[in-house]
Amino acid sequence: MNVRQLEIFRTIMRDGTITAAANSLGVSQPAVSKLLLQLEDQLGYALFERIGGRLVPTMEAHLLFSDADRVFRQMEALKTLARDVGANKIGLLRIGASLPLAYSVLPPALADFRSRHPEVKIHLHTLPKREIAEALTIGDIDVAVTLSAILAPSVRVEALGATPMVAVLREGDPLAAHEVITPELLEGVPLISYGSHADEVGPALDEAFASRGLIRDVAIQIASSVGALPLVRQGLGVAVVDGLAVLQGGEGIVARRFEPVVTTRVSISINEQRPKSRFISAFLQSLRRSFAAAEDCTAPRR
């Protein structure tokens, strides 16, 4: 399987038809069909079947696609790396960030950084942590900013700080009269929060409820605090999420301290085995300033 065959296979799987794949790649349909046939001949089995006039991937194609897609993206990352090395990565900083950070501390950090380095282009990737970790490992990004540490042999992690869990409620909710929200107060209330397997924070919240003799029963499970706010505003329940939700703000909602105190760590991760952008240090300074300013705002007030 050569690079061109891999690209053809990946594009057909993504676009669904040979015609669509040919259009995406800017080549003729016969050229795509020919390369696909060559690939199937080399493999010794079919990757697609025609059923009812549609091109349907075989089981073998599905088994190959995940790894083929990953290998292709690694090859693209290698091409980018080669270009960056040749250009000394002038004027480019690639950042991977969890959604709550992209909506809270990153905008002021980037504003501060850009005021000092207006020539630098920013590539900001807001992705789930698993995809950020993969992008950092293969060199698609220069620095990762996440709500928990990325654990990998080549990755250096720095703790930026910690943010507490808060309870986010709809304005007018009777519970908003309380300065502190506890598991006891949330008993019988539809809860919007992270799942029990959400990195470190899910088990920590489970333990907070268990310490009061209660089971944390999540009615609506979310992946990030960004998704919780509109649900609370709609009256679907009370959210217990990271304090960065407070910085996202919004009308119709209020935040209160949650106790027992549970925090989530904000981490900066850099792959030590990849060439570093010469702008990382300056960006991290701006990020630290932004997070320090945010710490005063994440403690909810009445």
Side-chain angles (χ1 to χ4, degrees):
M1 181 184 291
N2 60 40
V3 177
R4 189 57 169 169
Q5 290 170 337
L6 178 64
E7 184 179 29
I8 292 291
F9 168 62
R10 176 177 180 262
T11 307
I12 295 174
M13 288 289 289
R14 184 192 66 196
D15 293 354
T17 68
I18 288 177
T19 300
N23 290 336
S24 293
L25 296 171
V27 297
S28 68
Q29 183 177 336
V32 172
S33 299
K34 181 179 178 180
L35 284 168
L36 177 60
L37 287 174
Q38 289 175 353
L39 176 58
E40 290 178 326
D41 286 343
Q42 291 176 14
L43 295 174
Y45 50 81
L47 294 171
F48 299 92
E49 295 179 358
R50 289 197 175 276
I51 300 176
R54 295 176 58 247
L55 199 64
V56 180
T58 62
M59 181 61 68
E60 291 82 0
H62 284 294
L63 290 172
L64 288 174
F65 178 66
S66 178
D67 281 346
D69 183 60
R70 176 179 54 79
V71 169
F72 187 82
R73 286 189 291 113
Q74 287 176 328
M75 294 172 66
E76 288 297 303
L78 181 60
K79 291 179 184 178
T80 301
L81 176 62
R83 289 195 300 267
D84 290 344
V85 170
N88 197 28
K89 298 183 79 171
I90 295 173
L92 175 64
L93 180 63
R94 302 168 302 166
I95 304 165
S98 300
L99 269 175
L101 294 157
Y103 276 77
S104 54
V105 297
L106 265 181
L110 289 175
D112 181 69
F113 173 77
R114 289 273 295 165
S115 70
R116 292 171 168 78
H117 301 277
E119 78 283 4
V120 178
K121 292 184 178 180
I122 305 294
H123 290 183
L124 178 58
H125 304 265
T126 52
L127 301 166
K129 180 191 166 187
R130 178 180 56 81
E131 294 182 29
I132 292 175
E134 181 179 333
L136 185 67
T137 301
I138 67 177
D140 274 350
I141 59 176
D142 301 304
V143 58
V145 190
T146 57
L147 286 178
S148 58
I150 293 174
L151 303 178
S154 63
V155 173
R156 175 173 62 84
V157 179
E158 173 189 333
L160 183 62
T163 185
M165 294 294 110
V166 298
V168 182
L169 310 92
R170 195 178 190 183
E171 277 187 354
D173 190 314
L175 287 177
H178 295 268
E179 187 173 344
V180 177
I181 301 297
T182 64
E184 292 89 343
L185 289 173
L186 293 174
E187 192 171 9
V189 175
L191 183 62
I192 303 166
S193 193
Y194 313 105
S196 293
H197 302 291
D199 288 326
E200 304 161 356
V201 68
L205 285 171
D206 286 344
E207 178 58 32
F209 277 71
S211 71
R212 303 295 178 88
L214 299 171
I215 295 175
R216 190 173 66 103
D217 184 13
V218 178
I220 301 179
Q221 183 174 312
I222 49 137
S224 77
S225 56
V226 174
L229 303 191
L231 300 177
V232 172
R233 194 175 292 113
Q234 195 64 35
L236 292 171
V238 173
V240 177
V241 291
D242 62 81
L244 294 172
V246 177
L247 298 180
Q248 296 159 29
E251 295 182 0
I253 57 174
V254 294
R256 298 290 181 262
R257 292 202 314 275
F258 175 79
E259 292 182 0
V261 174
V262 176
T263 61
T264 184
R265 293 176 296 173
V266 179
S267 298
I268 301 165
S269 303
I270 297 171
N271 190 344
E272 294 285 276
Q273 295 184 354
R274 291 283 177 176
K276 297 177 181 62
S277 167
R278 62 191 180 93
F279 298 103
I280 284 183
S281 294
F283 166 68
L284 294 184
Q285 289 175 7
S286 295
L287 184 60
R288 293 185 190 103
R289 283 191 288 267
S290 176
F291 191 82
E295 284 184 310
D296 291 335
C297 302
T298 54
R301 298 174 174 82
R302 291 193 63 179

